[in-house]
């Protein structure tokens, strides 16, 4: 099941790159990528629907507590990212990598909002695949568990290949975030705690895209 699950992000990356090439319209390219990610999102949910249903029953009574924990985890994540980037900058003597908000703000405002829709699906797909299929299913197996945490975190970082044009140094912070999210799952023992944490983390990017769009519209109309 883990191997089949990994085919989803691989297919998303390959198909996303292959299918958009014939089109010159940025809008069409963004829509194609959104559709591909949506299909991957549906497949991942279908494959692990039993896990999602079981964990939701346990998570639902403690939703607000889980939300507060998720907010705290997101704050830690946004502290962790610049720390890792700064450390890499000192170690590699390079400038810190740009974050997701900077990437979004560089896009056309309207396209940025449409493109950011993938970030609303990513928490489900990525947590199911990288945290559940490639880590949590291997729990209680001694050193294998922690080797899978490292492996799944590396794969999670590499999945952001297109976000950073293949720059490995910019993916390393997301590998660290992947490990952090893996530990959250290990401690909480509930996939929905991870999905909610990841969703709130990514939602900041959606807000950034909307903010850029609003500021652009205000500038145009002003």
């Amino acid at each position: 099941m883990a191997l089949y699950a990994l085919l989803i992000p691989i297919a998303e990356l390959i198909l996303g790159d292959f299918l958009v090439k014939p089109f010159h319209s940025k809008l069409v390219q963004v829509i194609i990528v959104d559709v591909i990610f949506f299909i991957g999102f549906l497949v991942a949910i279908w494959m692990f629907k039993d896990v999602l249903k079981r964990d939701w029953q346990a998570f639902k009574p403690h939703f607000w507590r889980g939300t507060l924990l998720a907010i705290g985890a997101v704050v830690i994540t946004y502290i962790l990212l610049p720390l890792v980037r700064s450390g890499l900058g000192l170690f590699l003597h390079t400038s810190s990598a740009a974050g997701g908000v900077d990437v979004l703000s560089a896009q056309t405002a309207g396209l940025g909002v449409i493109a950011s829709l993938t970030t609303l699906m990513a928490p489900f797909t990525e947590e199911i695949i990288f945290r559940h299929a490639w880590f949590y299913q291997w729990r209680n197996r001694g050193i294998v568990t922690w080797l899978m945490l490292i492996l799944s975190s590396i794969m999670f970082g590499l999945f952001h290949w297109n976000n950073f044009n293949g720059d490995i140094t910019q993916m390393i912070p997301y590998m660290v975030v992947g490990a952090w999210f893996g530990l959250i799952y290990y401690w909480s023992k509930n996939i929905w705690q991870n999905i909610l944490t990841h969703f709130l983390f990514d939602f900041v990017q959606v807000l950034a895209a909307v903010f850029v769009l609003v500021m652009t519209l205000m500038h145009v109309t002003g």
Side-chain angles (χ1 to χ4, degrees):
M1 183 68 78
L3 183 59
Y4 291 135
L6 188 60
L7 293 177
I8 296 174
I10 292 176
E12 288 177 345
L13 289 176
I14 295 176
L15 288 176
D17 183 59
F18 176 75
L19 293 179
V20 301
K21 285 183 177 179
F23 301 95
H24 299 290
S25 169
K26 290 292 184 181
L27 177 60
V28 173
Q29 291 177 350
V30 168
I31 291 175
I32 289 174
V33 171
D34 280 351
V35 170
I36 292 172
F37 270 73
F38 181 65
I39 293 173
F41 161 79
L42 293 178
V43 172
I45 288 179
W46 177 79
M47 289 178 65
F48 293 92
K49 57 183 181 297
D50 293 337
V51 174
L52 291 168
K53 183 178 180 180
R54 181 198 66 207
D55 280 12
W56 176 249
Q57 294 303 317
F59 186 75
K60 184 168 59 175
H62 311 288
F63 177 80
W64 293 112
R65 184 186 69 181
T67 300
L68 290 175
L69 291 173
I71 292 172
V74 169
V75 171
I76 293 174
T77 305
Y78 273 105
I79 293 173
L80 189 62
L81 270 175
L83 285 176
V84 176
R85 286 171 177 151
S86 297
L88 283 173
L90 292 173
F91 181 74
L92 300 174
H93 304 291
T94 59
S95 59
S96 296
V101 172
D102 296 326
V103 172
L104 281 174
S105 63
Q107 301 175 357
T108 303
L111 289 177
V113 173
I114 299 174
S116 67
L117 294 177
T118 59
T119 65
L120 299 180
M121 296 178 276
F124 293 86
T125 308
E126 294 174 4
E127 293 306 314
I128 288 171
I129 295 170
F130 297 112
R131 248 64 72 188
H132 183 76
W134 278 88
F135 169 57
Y136 195 71
Q137 288 191 145
W138 303 83
R139 68 191 183 282
N140 301 326
R141 299 193 186 185
I143 192 172
V144 173
T145 300
W146 305 111
L147 288 175
M148 291 305 294
L149 173 64
I150 295 172
L151 178 60
S152 63
S153 302
I154 292 173
M155 291 191 299
F156 174 69
L158 292 176
F159 182 58
H160 294 80
W161 184 276
N162 290 341
N163 297 63
F164 301 111
N165 298 316
D167 187 343
I168 297 293
T169 59
Q170 295 193 48
M171 300 177 211
I172 292 176
Y174 282 86
M175 296 177 187
V176 176
V177 169
W180 165 233
F181 283 174
L183 291 176
I184 291 174
Y185 194 7
Y186 187 80
W187 291 327
S188 69
K189 299 179 175 61
N190 195 298
I191 189 65
W192 285 99
Q193 185 65 58
N194 272 71
I195 290 173
L196 182 57
T197 300
H198 196 156
F199 182 87
L200 293 177
F201 173 75
D202 282 359
F203 190 63
V204 174
Q205 297 184 41
V206 179
L207 291 179
V210 173
F211 177 77
V212 171
L213 176 60
V214 171
M215 291 296 101
T216 302
L217 291 175
M218 289 178 63
H219 177 73
V220 171
T221 57

